[in-house]
């Protein structure tokens, strides 16, 4: 049975005291209110990972993710963080291929494949992000475009390796633009991606992989999205910075 997952990507937000306060609120709210078995993954800025880990250690449904890692194993790469470093402090997941990394840092599918490799080699599970821009959506080749992101960055993996990956579909055109993807549009892409995985790895593997939706998820939209048969949760941006909003998203099942 696929895991239900809600991941909160804090991006470059919160100073330390705010990050600690948010984490404490989320842990307490989840303990008091969340009745389902969803996994809650927090993705704080890297500088806070060890601190936040202390606050979630006694919360069994919480896990920690980094927002990025290097495609290099180690070496003279000032400012970078390796997957081995993340593993050494107990980080279980890492975001790879977020649209902002692709756009602002020109991360190619080939570079992302190397990031996936080094994460898996060090026991850190990638949350692999994929998605199309507004122009690609309007060109009507958006399904093929996103499938190609999976092909070039994930399809070199063995079946066992792929089963350690979580996929997050984020329509870039629906993030911070005022436009929104309907549950029907989101489900269409999730089903297409699961079918694409099945074409390479078989239906059983495709049915086992969690695919999250990441296009401006809110408490108001989460229930309809999560009710879709191929949507297994959300990668949440702005709403993850508000404890009440994020907790309500986790409760949406």
């Amino acid at each position: 049975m696929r895991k239900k997952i809600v991941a909160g990507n804090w991006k470059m937000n919160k100073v330390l005291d705010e990050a600690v306060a948010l984490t404490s609120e989320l842990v307490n709210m989840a303990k008091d209110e969340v009745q389902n078995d969803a996994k809650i993954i927090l993705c704080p800025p890297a500088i806070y990972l060890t601190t936040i880990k202390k606050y979630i250690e006694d919360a069994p449904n919480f896990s920690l993710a980094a927002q990025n890692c290097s495609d290099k194993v180690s070496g003279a790469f000032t400012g970078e963080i390796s997957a081995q470093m993340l593993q050494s402090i107990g980080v279980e997941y890492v975001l790879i291929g977020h649209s902002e990394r692709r756009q602002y840092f020109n991360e190619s599918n080939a570079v992302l494949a190397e990031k996936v490799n080094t994460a898996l080699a060090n026991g850190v599970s990638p949350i692999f992000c994929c998605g199309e821009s507004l122009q690609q959506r309007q060109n009507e080749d958006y399904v093929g475009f996103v499938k190609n992101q999976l092909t070039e960055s994930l399809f070199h993996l063995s079946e066992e390796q792929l089963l350690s990956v979580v996929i997050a579909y984020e329509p870039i055109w629906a993030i911070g633009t005022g436009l929104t993807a309907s549950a029907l549009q989101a489900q269409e892409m999730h089903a297409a991606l699961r079918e694409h995985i099945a074409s390479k790895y078989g239906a059983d593997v495709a049915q086992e992989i969690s695919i999250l939706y990441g296009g401006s998820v809110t408490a108001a939209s989460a229930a309809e999205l999560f009710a879709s048969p191929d949507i297994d949760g959300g990668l949440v941006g702005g709403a993850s910075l508000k404890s009440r909003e994020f907790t309500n998203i986790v409760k949406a099942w």
Side-chain angles (χ1 to χ4, degrees):
M1 189 172 178
R2 299 195 300 267
K3 292 178 183 176
K4 299 175 181 176
I5 298 171
V6 179
N9 179 16
W10 296 1
K11 306 188 180 183
M12 196 175 72
N13 292 293
K14 302 293 185 185
V15 296
L16 180 59
D17 289 349
E18 294 170 336
V20 167
L22 175 59
T23 304
S24 296
E25 290 169 7
L26 290 171
V27 168
N28 288 329
M29 286 181 176
K31 180 180 178 181
D32 292 341
E33 301 176 27
V34 175
Q35 303 294 319
N36 59 45
D37 60 351
K39 178 179 283 291
I40 303 167
I41 303 176
L42 302 184
C43 315
I47 195 171
Y48 304 145
L49 285 167
T50 53
T51 300
I52 300 303
K53 188 175 191 306
K54 296 175 184 177
Y55 285 85
I56 66 172
E57 281 179 336
D58 295 326
N61 50 335
F62 280 78
S63 294
L64 200 60
Q67 296 179 15
N68 184 40
C69 72
S70 175
D71 59 317
K72 305 296 191 297
V73 175
S74 63
F77 303 102
T78 301
E80 289 293 282
I81 297 171
S82 73
Q84 185 179 37
M85 293 173 184
L86 297 177
Q87 189 277 333
S88 74
I89 61 170
V91 174
E92 297 175 62
Y93 296 89
V94 59
L95 298 182
I96 292 177
H98 191 278
S99 60
E100 292 158 3
R101 298 293 311 180
R102 293 176 186 265
Q103 178 181 354
Y104 302 137
F105 301 95
N106 299 312
E107 294 186 352
S108 67
N109 290 339
V111 166
L112 298 177
E114 290 303 317
K115 290 192 176 195
V116 168
N117 291 344
T118 188
L120 290 171
N122 286 281
V124 181
S125 294
I127 301 175
F128 180 80
C129 303
C130 56
E132 81 281 9
S133 68
L134 181 58
Q135 181 179 357
Q136 287 148 354
R137 166 68 61 159
Q138 291 173 336
N139 287 342
E140 297 186 356
D141 189 30
Y142 55 93
V143 173
F145 178 83
V146 181
K147 283 182 177 181
N148 189 60
Q149 291 179 322
L150 267 61
T151 299
E152 294 191 359
S153 297
L154 297 181
F155 277 19
H156 63 286
L157 299 175
S158 68
E159 178 179 312
E160 182 180 6
Q161 289 174 317
L162 189 71
L163 288 172
S164 295
V165 176
V166 175
I167 294 171
Y169 165 62
E170 45 172 12
I172 303 165
W173 53 273
I175 301 174
T177 62
L179 300 172
T180 56
S182 67
L184 189 62
Q185 288 173 314
Q187 165 60 24
E188 174 198 37
M189 182 63 82
H190 281 236
L193 295 181
R194 208 175 294 284
E195 182 181 340
H196 188 49
I197 293 167
S199 71
K200 167 75 173 179
Y201 294 94
D204 289 347
V205 172
Q207 287 302 318
E208 199 169 333
I209 291 176
S210 294
I211 306 180
L212 314 182
Y213 174 73
S216 298
V217 179
T218 66
S221 64
E224 185 180 10
L225 286 165
F226 296 175
S228 302
D230 287 293
I231 298 178
D232 304 308
L235 175 59
V236 184
S240 71
L241 300 173
K242 304 170 185 175
S243 56
R244 168 48 55 204
E245 180 84 1
F246 188 69
T247 301
N248 285 347
I249 291 171
V250 177
K251 292 165 60 179
W253 277 284

